[in-house]
Amino acid sequence: TTESRSIAKGSDLLAQSDLRQSNILSDYERARAINIEKNNARLRALGLISANEERKSNASAWGLEEKSSNIKRKPSSRPPSEGCRKSRRLLKLSSEISENVVTGGNEEERQEVIEKEREAIVKECREARQRAAMEVARLGVESAARENPTATYEHCLMRIRSMTKKGLINRVRSIERAAGKHCVIKMAIFKSCLQDENMWELAKLASEALERLKGLQSPP
């Protein structure tokens, strides 16, 4: 019910608040989690991560495990098909996709759920980037590039379309190694562009690198 979901959400928020005030996390871990939250808020406002990505990243930063659904499904009367794999690792599902993939369905049903959630991520981020672009447009052309880092988004898309898979992997690694002042924004743009181009395995690689970078520094 709506009421029970609200209570569960409130419990999660309370648990996160208690964890922040407890001594479970070291000073370094707390500082890292705070940096991640700040970067996530910035990236979400720019349309470079979705609400789901922000929520998962914040939960992971504070050491909170996301609870799976309590809905019980009737066991299938059909015997499992030969070679059926239910492990997310074995299925090679992207880390951006939520855990509500139907495990009792067939491969076609699982793929349909994955595709719908991927489309939702891309659509949400695109709309947020459009809002950010409209907002900075009021500042004038000269201020746009300075105030809106996503001004380089189209340029990044063009580069991705012309690069090989090996080149894209090397680009992810080079951004992380450099760890410059704007590395978080650069990696987030790269990750989002890969998602736009339906390169989800490479986007997963960029997402993992992005999580490591977000804990290193606050937004510029």
Side-chain angles (χ1 to χ4, degrees):
T1 64
T2 303
E3 182 179 358
S4 60
R5 285 196 296 269
S6 299
I7 293 174
K9 183 177 181 181
S11 298
D12 288 342
L13 292 173
L14 182 60
Q16 181 167 330
S17 176
D18 290 342
L19 184 59
R20 291 187 186 195
Q21 298 174 13
S22 71
N23 295 321
I24 295 177
L25 299 179
S26 66
D27 290 342
Y28 168 79
E29 290 170 326
R30 280 194 292 271
R32 177 180 177 278
I34 291 171
N35 278 344
I36 289 175
E37 280 193 335
K38 290 179 179 179
N39 277 304
N40 282 337
R42 172 68 167 154
L43 297 179
R44 174 84 188 286
L46 292 172
L48 297 176
I49 61 173
S50 66
N52 192 39
E53 289 173 307
E54 179 184 27
R55 176 174 53 79
K56 287 186 174 184
S57 178
N58 287 345
S60 177
W62 289 102
L64 297 173
E65 295 293 334
E66 289 198 320
K67 297 180 179 179
S68 59
S69 173
N70 291 325
I71 299 175
K72 296 182 179 179
R73 293 187 177 91
K74 295 181 179 180
S76 174
S77 58
R78 296 178 300 172
S81 58
E82 184 177 354
C84 178
R85 293 176 173 178
K86 296 185 179 180
S87 164
R88 289 179 60 79
R89 178 182 62 80
L90 294 176
L91 286 171
K92 297 181 179 179
L93 301 184
S94 173
S95 61
E96 285 80 19
I97 305 305
S98 70
E99 298 291 339
N100 59 0
V101 176
V102 180
T103 57
N106 56 36
E107 181 62 29
E108 184 177 348
E109 290 173 338
R110 287 195 292 271
Q111 192 60 36
E112 184 179 354
V113 172
I114 293 170
E115 290 301 324
K116 285 183 178 180
E117 294 197 4
R118 284 177 173 175
E119 289 174 4
I121 288 173
V122 172
K123 182 176 183 292
E124 178 189 340
C125 289
R126 281 177 179 169
E127 291 175 349
R129 286 196 300 274
Q130 289 174 354
R131 289 194 298 270
M134 291 176 63
E135 184 65 25
V136 298
R138 302 174 186 174
L139 301 174
V141 177
E142 294 182 0
S143 301
R146 183 178 68 253
E147 297 295 334
N148 183 19
T150 59
T152 61
Y153 197 89
E154 293 300 324
H155 175 68
C156 183
L157 269 178
M158 289 191 295
R159 287 191 63 184
I160 283 177
R161 290 165 181 164
S162 65
M163 295 171 72
T164 64
K165 182 177 180 179
K166 182 178 180 181
L168 293 170
I169 292 173
N170 288 337
R171 179 58 178 162
V172 170
R173 291 172 177 169
S174 66
I175 295 174
E176 183 172 13
R177 280 197 304 267
K181 181 179 179 181
H182 298 287
C183 64
V184 172
I185 293 290
K186 287 181 179 179
M187 188 67 79
I189 290 175
F190 204 70
K191 182 272 306 180
S192 193
C193 285
L194 289 169
Q195 291 175 335
D196 263 350
E197 291 299 297
N198 204 30
M199 301 179 181
W200 288 91
E201 286 302 314
L202 290 172
K204 180 177 184 294
L205 182 69
S207 293
E208 291 169 350
L210 176 61
E211 287 305 306
R212 292 189 290 269
L213 289 173
K214 283 190 294 189
L216 297 178
Q217 54 184 282
S218 298

